[in-house]
Amino acid sequence: MPRPARRVTIRDVAEATGLSQAAVSYAMRGLQVSEETQERVRRAAAELGYEANPVARALASGRTGMVGVLWASLEDLWQQETVVALGAALLGDDRFAIVLDSGGDPGHEERLARRLVDQRVDAMVLAPVDPAAPFWAEVAEQVPLVVVGDALAGARTAGEVVFDNRSGVTLALEHLVALGHRHIGVLTPTRPSTPDRPGDVHVRAEAERLGVRVTITTARHGLDDATAAAHDVLASPRRPTAVFCFSDSIAHGAYAAARDLGLDVPRDLSVLGYDARPVSRLLSPPLTTVDWDTTAIVAATARLVTAAAEGAPRRRRVVRRPSLLEGGSTAPPRRG
């Protein structure tokens, strides 16, 4: 029986290029050597069929090549698509994502965060359920954290890609008020145990400024749960004339509830989403929503996570500002 071919090592690449093993290692990681040398090493490695031994690399560098990705709720379409894109970006940088879903539960979120610390990930990127939880300060001392969405209160992060939720909420409510709506239902995934998220807080402040009534209801991202929550709001004798949903996934539930109740969108009910999912353009009518530019969010997050995993975080804060993407789901309310 033929013996398996010997694994190509970093020594073989060093001999082929006339460089030291240390120089080859630096070139593989894009450190301390010229672009020309990096290209020469990569070309030789490809010709020889060299693949980095992850165990040896971890022992030599003290890094595992693993990045923890802890997301608030993967029932949400935006979060699903963002995690997929982020995982691909990390893989392109020769890093592997350990993806965990908090399921919207703050207690579960803490347990999973601590488990990722135990797994010795090089960095952790998270879209938090509870950004104000005190345990984040302790976790941040043990592993570099990059946060997406809302900034963490009291924890020193390695990087932040935060959403300007004040602008997003203002865009949404001013659009509905300009159409003539004066009673707006708000469907949010925020639980009573985490009431201080910036977006939800700003809804109340903006409603008061604009002189409109808002009814805030908790709704999970899953279609069945979102539909049930929207049904309860819309079945009320004094139902709102518009609903503003803090995710497109929840807005899909509002469409389903309106259909079940015989309400026409937008003639009987205006619906507005919050994260511009491509599938929302396929709804009838297409959803009016707030667009945060997911591609830019993923690129900024991957850049900050890579720096944090390499031990060179820049403590950068990227603020994403939204735009309104108008579909056909919002219109002036019916009179009477």
Side-chain angles (χ1 to χ4, degrees), residues 7-330:
R7 183 187 184 98
V8 178
T9 68
I10 198 169
R11 177 180 294 177
D12 297 319
V13 180
E15 291 176 355
T17 55
L19 298 169
S20 68
Q21 292 184 50
V24 168
S25 177
Y26 284 134
M28 290 288 190
R29 291 179 288 158
L31 301 173
Q32 300 186 20
V33 297
S34 68
E35 289 287 341
E36 181 183 355
T37 299
Q38 291 176 37
E39 179 57 31
R40 180 155 60 101
V41 168
R42 294 188 186 111
R43 187 166 54 247
E47 291 172 355
L48 292 170
Y50 170 77
E51 294 181 359
N53 185 321
V55 176
R57 181 174 57 189
L59 289 172
S61 66
R63 302 189 182 105
T64 63
M66 299 292 182
V67 172
V69 178
L70 180 57
W71 241 237
S73 174
L74 291 180
E75 286 186 313
D76 178 47
L77 291 175
W78 181 84
Q79 296 188 52
Q80 289 177 24
E81 293 170 20
T82 305
V83 165
V84 169
L86 181 58
L90 292 172
L91 189 60
D93 195 42
D94 202 23
R95 303 183 192 280
F96 299 90
I98 301 176
V99 178
L100 297 177
D101 177 12
S102 298
D105 184 335
H108 194 44
E109 176 175 68
E110 179 176 0
R111 290 188 293 272
L112 292 177
R114 295 189 185 280
R115 178 65 60 88
L116 286 172
V117 172
D118 292 341
Q119 292 291 320
R120 301 181 64 84
V121 295
D122 296 334
M124 191 188 307
V125 56
L126 59 133
V129 176
D130 185 4
F135 75 87
W136 287 123
E138 179 185 345
V139 172
E141 293 295 325
Q142 300 171 293
V143 63
L145 296 182
V146 174
V147 64
V148 177
D150 292 327
L152 301 182
R156 181 170 178 78
T157 56
E160 300 172 341
V161 182
V162 296
F163 301 165
D164 183 358
N165 279 297
R166 292 179 64 89
S167 294
V169 168
T170 297
L171 269 178
L173 293 185
E174 285 187 345
H175 174 72
L176 293 174
V177 170
L179 290 172
H181 296 279
R182 294 297 179 267
H183 179 194
I184 300 168
V186 178
L187 297 176
T188 173
T190 299
R191 295 187 176 195
S193 58
T194 58
D196 52 355
R197 297 185 72 101
D200 299 85
V201 171
H202 193 54
V203 160
R204 298 180 180 88
E206 277 298 272
E208 183 176 352
R209 181 182 72 85
L210 295 168
V212 296
R213 176 186 173 197
V214 293
T215 304
I216 301 176
T217 303
T218 297
R220 293 175 65 88
H221 291 104
L223 181 59
D224 289 345
D225 289 331
T227 301
H231 191 284
D232 289 345
V233 171
L234 300 179
S236 168
R238 298 186 63 187
R239 65 174 175 81
T241 59
V243 288
F244 167 38
C245 307
F246 265 105
S247 85
D248 280 18
S249 292
I250 294 174
H252 299 170
Y255 268 66
R259 181 197 60 207
D260 293 345
L261 293 167
L263 300 175
D264 179 79
V265 177
R267 189 166 60 94
D268 300 314
L269 177 75
S270 287
V271 181
L272 198 151
Y274 205 58
D275 46 42
R277 293 303 80 224
V279 71
S280 296
R281 296 197 295 268
L282 302 179
L283 297 174
S284 181
L287 180 67
T288 297
T289 186
V290 176
D291 186 1
W292 297 93
D293 192 347
T294 301
T295 300
I297 290 168
V298 170
T301 303
R303 185 170 63 250
L304 292 174
V305 172
T306 297
E310 288 291 344
R314 289 174 287 178
R315 181 65 178 161
R316 277 197 62 189
R317 189 175 210 256
V318 178
V319 179
R320 292 301 312 164
R321 291 183 171 83
S323 59
L324 187 70
L325 184 62
E326 292 193 47
S329 66
T330 54

